[in-house]
Amino acid sequence: MIRLRFESRLAAPAQDVLAEALTMRGVNAELMPLVRMSYPREAENFDLQQAPLKQTLFQSWLLLGGVIPVDRHALTFEALYDNGFDERSTSWLQRVWIHRRRIAEQGKGCIVTDELEFQPRLPLPGSLPATLARRVFDHRHARLRDRYGVLPD
């Protein structure tokens, strides 16, 4: 299993960040222009906090540049919390994909933490899977900081 951790201190209330992060529109705002996740029309304004647990919510295409299909992801939540979620999904490329996100109040802002554990299906060379995941999540956190600003120390 590959394990990675990402953290950003944002100058916005946790509830504001959480409200956006728990929608597919918010997920794609973080991912684009690198990647976009497809979703059914009925999921457009669906609050992921209301998702059923331990069953596939829907199948999503991961689209490189928002256009080129590179993976098929079965989105499944294991647990939902007031401050985040635990996702345990699978995809064509990942035998196991665990994504834990927490958004914690911090003074006048919040701290967003993403922890990943995943096991690729393909025997890719060296650290390529970790490098790709790191690139995507570094991008996501940069987009969050651009949108909400950085919480001063």
Side-chain angles (χ1 to χ4, degrees), residues 97-147:
W97 176 265
I98 299 169
H99 174 198
R100 295 181 188 94
R101 175 169 277 192
R102 299 294 183 274
I103 302 175
E105 291 286 345
Q106 178 71 34
K108 294 185 181 200
C110 65
I111 298 176
V112 176
T113 305
D114 286 304
E115 294 178 347
L116 299 178
E117 293 181 48
F118 60 100
Q119 180 181 25
R121 289 186 191 273
L122 304 173
L124 297 173
S127 61
L128 183 61
T131 299
L132 293 173
R134 187 174 289 110
R135 173 69 180 106
V136 169
F137 274 80
D138 282 345
H139 172 78
R140 289 183 78 160
H141 278 254
R143 298 272 295 179
L144 287 168
R145 290 188 300 273
D146 288 346
R147 176 168 184 174

Side-chain angles (χ1 to χ4, degrees), residues 14-76:
Q15 284 308 110
D16 292 355
V17 176
L18 186 64
E20 186 69 13
L22 291 174
T23 66
M24 289 308 298
R25 184 174 34 93
V27 169
N28 280 329
E30 292 177 25
L31 289 169
M32 283 297 288
L34 287 181
V35 178
R36 181 172 63 86
M37 289 183 72
S38 71
Y39 52 87
R41 186 180 315 252
E42 57 271 15
E44 175 70 34
N45 295 308
F46 184 75
D47 177 354
L48 297 178
Q49 280 285 66
Q50 306 304 314
L53 299 179
K54 300 181 182 180
Q55 65 184 50
T56 300
L57 185 58
F58 55 81
Q59 298 277 330
S60 175
W61 285 107
L62 293 176
L63 303 164
L64 185 63
V67 179
I68 303 165
V70 292
D71 197 9
R72 186 77 168 158
H73 189 82
L75 183 64
T76 306

Side-chain angles (χ1 to χ4, degrees), residues 71 73 89-97 118-121 129:
D71 197 9
H73 189 82
S89 299
T90 61
S91 75
W92 287 354
L93 297 177
Q94 309 303 333
R95 185 177 319 283
V96 177
W97 176 265
F118 60 100
Q119 180 181 25
R121 289 186 191 273

